[in-house]
Amino acid sequence: MPKKVGIAAVAQNAGVESKDNFYDQSYKITKEILDKAGLKREELETIISAASDIFHGGISCANSYYWETTGAFLKPGSRQDGESLFAFFYGVMRILSGDYDTALVIALCKGSENPENDACTLMYADPFYQRMIGMNETMAAAMQMRIYMERYGIAEEQCAKVVVKNLANALGNPYAHRKGRFTVDDVLGSDRIIDPLTQMQIAPKSEGMVALLLASEEKAKKLTSKPVWFRGFGNSIDHYYIGDRDLLDSPLKTAAARAYKMAGISRPRKEIDIAEITEPYAFQELIWCEDLGFCGPGEGGKMIDSGATQKTGDIPVNPSGGVLANNPYVSRGLQRVVEATLQLRGEAGERQVDKKMKTALAHGTHGFAGQCHAVAILGV
Amino acid sequence: MAKEFRTLKTSVNLPYELAYGPIWTRFFDGLLNKKILGTKCPKCDRILVPARSFCPRCFVDTPEWVEISHEGALTAWCLTNYRYYGQPVEPPSISALIRLDGANVDFLHLIGGFDLGDFELVRRKVKNGMRVKAVWNEERKAQIFDIKYFEPV
Ligand SMILES: [Zn+2]
């Protein structure tokens, strides 16, 4: 790669409901990240925001709420609607263009204000057909889970173990919305709202103003003594009609292959030190681990059983607690990058993985049963 | 719980008028006449249902119309037993992907015609691979619920 892009600073707020309104929260997180980097608003060159105006926002349009609060007055701001990991790459490209030395990528979501995620994702279904059936993200996931269990003999207990692991990890994460010590029985005994999924296997809806400051190589070195470098990105998109897809043949495999190629990674399980992945439904962490090449097809259950993805395992997955612990819908992908950055910098506090780290992976997904995926590779 | 600061209760509700276009009009008119219509891709030979104007894989027009069987096998399903805002189908309900005979993609609809009250009993009855057939509504309106649901054969 001709140029290096560095992450110079990160900031996020807590997933629980805050007292502030959306406008002030956006301002505060922008102020926080600029202060951390010692950068004045006037020096910030470009801003990319990720948000959902209506479905996961409902408040107004981007022009009124997302620009002056993120320091964009008279600046070349641009935005991504939906999954914020795409906005991250958009910011990376702006630095790679050579026209900018600093770019603020900011994802804005105040889940506490929104209707339940299922009401929002129902609106992702086309109004002529799938929406009439009631299709939403949870329904698609429940169908995907059943095929996964049947095709590979995955047990519900193995899926539940993801919740047990992630919510325990979240005890070390002051930003996590949901956390605690639970058992597999707690998880499987929670309300069976959409069989085979139980309530605890489904991510909550959280707040999340998440910011990340990107900089060119020289600028990043000036702004921080611990820059984290962008190494690769890949994304991939499957068919829209859920019936057109094999729900176990996810486009994450092609997204990961693209990111690994760009980053020069040939043995992901060995070369990646920690992964922060988007698992709004517990079993999806198992499938995504397979698709990311951490284990073979159908081996996700065995992998969680082995302890490899625990904080102490050889490839810790979601030491932050992941999306099951904190689900600011639009911001969750960028939050994975922030968490991976904190791990690489050794600044993850109580959730810090205790080993020498060189490479981290961040993953985002949105759409029904993982219709769209994005993977970013970071390094130090 | 009382909040420390005021909140505003509001909603977004705007009227739109969305075009079905010629392909979907013909598909939904087919349901009116108890026909499930698909289109066939001239390149990969896949039969796509609901009918559409092009094959998203081959990216070519799919001008050939095919009548699809009312029977098929279950690919995937879930039992919904909770409420969410805007939910169009009264719970409990089973949503399912059904591979209609002759089609190369799955058809999203409901499974019904029996008691859905107990998930253990439902699990004993409903299995992937199970044969199902369409149950039609007497009164049809050129919409997806012209098929009431699919029931086990
Ligand atoms: Zn084709």
Side-chain angles (χ1 to χ4, degrees), chain B residues 62-82:
Chain B
T62 50
E64 188 188 337
W65 286 75
V66 189
E67 208 180 317
I68 311 286
S69 169
H70 299 182
E71 275 193 42
L74 198 54
T75 298
W77 63 281
C78 64
L79 173 63
T80 302
N81 201 11
Y82 73 114

Side-chain angles (χ1 to χ4, degrees), chain A residues 17 19 116 118 122 127-129 131-132 134 136 139 142 146 150 156 192-195 239 241 243-244, chain B residues 3-4 18-20 24 50 52 57 77-79 81-82 84-86 88 95 106 108 119 123 128 145:
Chain A
E17 183 174 356
K19 292 175 186 172
E116 61 269 47
D118 291 332
L122 174 69
F128 305 101
Y129 170 30
R131 197 186 298 166
M132 287 199 177
N136 61 35
M139 191 178 279
R146 181 146 2 237
E150 286 192 7
E156 286 183 82
R192 192 161 286 273
I193 64 169
I194 181 159
D195 183 71
H239 289 308
Y241 284 107
D244 285 10
Chain B
K3 294 193 182 181
E4 189 179 353
L18 308 171
Y20 279 87
W24 277 43
R52 60 203 83 173
R57 291 197 184 168
W77 63 281
C78 64
L79 173 63
N81 201 11
Y82 73 114
Y84 53 92
Y85 183 86
S95 321
D106 293 325
L108 174 70
F119 86 88
R123 273 189 177 193
N128 283 343
F145 284 121

Side-chain angles (χ1 to χ4, degrees), chain A residues 173-191:
Chain A
N173 182 357
Y175 302 103
H177 184 184
R178 199 164 67 146
K179 54 184 88 175
R181 296 212 179 279
F182 298 98
T183 63
V184 163
D185 286 344
D186 292 334
V187 176
L188 296 180
S190 62
D191 281 349

Side-chain angles (χ1 to χ4, degrees), chain A residues 1-5 96 217:
Chain A
M1 197 176 296
K3 286 193 181 76
K4 282 173 88 171
V5 179
L96 286 174
E217 183 172 6

Side-chain angles (χ1 to χ4, degrees), chain B residues 41 43-46 55 57-58 60:
Chain B
C41 174
K43 206 166 164 194
C44 66
D45 284 336
R46 290 188 311 152
C55 171
R57 291 197 184 168
C58 306
V60 295

Side-chain angles (χ1 to χ4, degrees), chain A residues 20-304:
Chain A
D20 281 325
N21 67 24
F22 196 109
Y23 194 79
D24 291 342
Q25 271 182 305
S26 312
Y27 163 68
K28 283 182 184 172
I29 205 73
T30 304
K31 192 86 176 153
E32 182 184 328
I33 195 164
L34 292 179
D35 287 350
K36 275 182 175 168
L39 198 71
K40 291 197 190 76
R41 192 198 79 85
E42 293 72 21
E43 297 169 299
L44 177 62
E45 292 171 64
T46 182
I47 293 111
I48 314 289
S49 73
S52 167
D53 286 357
I54 301 294
F55 299 144
H56 291 274
I59 195 159
S60 188
C61 89
N63 284 19
S64 53
Y65 261 75
Y66 311 158
W67 291 133
E68 55 189 40
T69 59
T70 57
F73 174 63
L74 293 185
K75 290 189 188 292
S78 188
R79 69 186 293 264
Q80 148 85 30
D81 192 288
E83 171 54 42
S84 50
L85 200 50
F86 291 88
F88 167 74
F89 189 55
Y90 192 174
V92 167
M93 289 192 291
R94 287 214 144 176
I95 303 288
L96 286 174
S97 75
D99 290 337
Y100 304 95
D101 281 316
T102 53
L104 173 66
V105 182
I106 185 157
L108 307 166
C109 187
K110 190 169 171 62
S112 67
E113 297 187 330
N114 300 342
E116 61 269 47
N117 288 328
D118 291 332
C120 294
T121 63
L122 174 69
M123 303 308 286
Y124 296 0
D126 75 275
F128 305 101
Y129 170 30
Q130 299 183 104
R131 197 186 298 166
M132 287 199 177
I133 306 287
M135 177 55 69
N136 61 35
E137 201 180 75
T138 303
M139 191 178 279
M143 292 199 280
Q144 183 182 37
M145 179 176 171
R146 181 146 2 237
I147 311 180
Y148 181 52
M149 292 193 304
E150 286 192 7
R151 196 174 300 174
Y152 293 118
I154 303 288
E156 286 183 82
E157 287 73 15
Q158 291 172 313
C159 302
K161 279 184 183 175
V162 175
V163 184
V164 174
K165 168 178 76 71
N166 290 0
L167 295 190
N169 284 351
L171 287 166
N173 182 357
Y175 302 103
H177 184 184
R178 199 164 67 146
K179 54 184 88 175
R181 296 212 179 279
F182 298 98
T183 63
V184 163
D185 286 344
D186 292 334
V187 176
L188 296 180
S190 62
D191 281 349
R192 192 161 286 273
I193 64 169
I194 181 159
D195 183 71
L197 279 167
T198 59
Q199 184 76 62
M200 282 186 72
Q201 297 176 67
I202 301 172
K205 72 179 170 80
S206 314
E207 299 204 355
M209 306 287 170
V210 177
L212 187 136
L213 185 70
L214 293 171
S216 60
E217 183 172 6
E218 288 102 88
K219 188 74 178 177
K221 284 176 178 164
K222 274 184 208 149
L223 291 172
T224 175
S225 59
K226 289 197 261 182
V228 166
W229 304 106
F230 168 77
R231 287 189 46 203
F233 180 87
N235 67 300
S236 185
I237 300 170
D238 204 345
H239 289 308
Y240 173 60
Y241 284 107
I242 190 140
D244 285 10
R245 297 164 51 194
D246 174 348
L247 296 182
L248 296 190
D249 187 11
S250 102
L252 177 53
K253 288 195 278 285
T254 41
R258 285 170 188 145
Y260 293 160
K261 188 175 173 214
M262 196 186 286
I265 287 175
S266 52
R267 294 165 306 156
R269 173 83 178 253
K270 282 215 154 55
E271 293 175 59
I272 291 162
D273 296 306
I274 99 118
E276 278 284 337
I277 72 180
T278 296
E279 43 25 311
Y281 304 92
F283 72 95
Q284 286 180 339
E285 185 176 294
L286 307 181
I287 303 190
W288 304 160
C289 281
E290 296 172 15
D291 292 341
L292 289 166
F294 298 166
C295 61
E299 291 176 358
K302 264 192 274 174
M303 193 174 178
I304 185 97

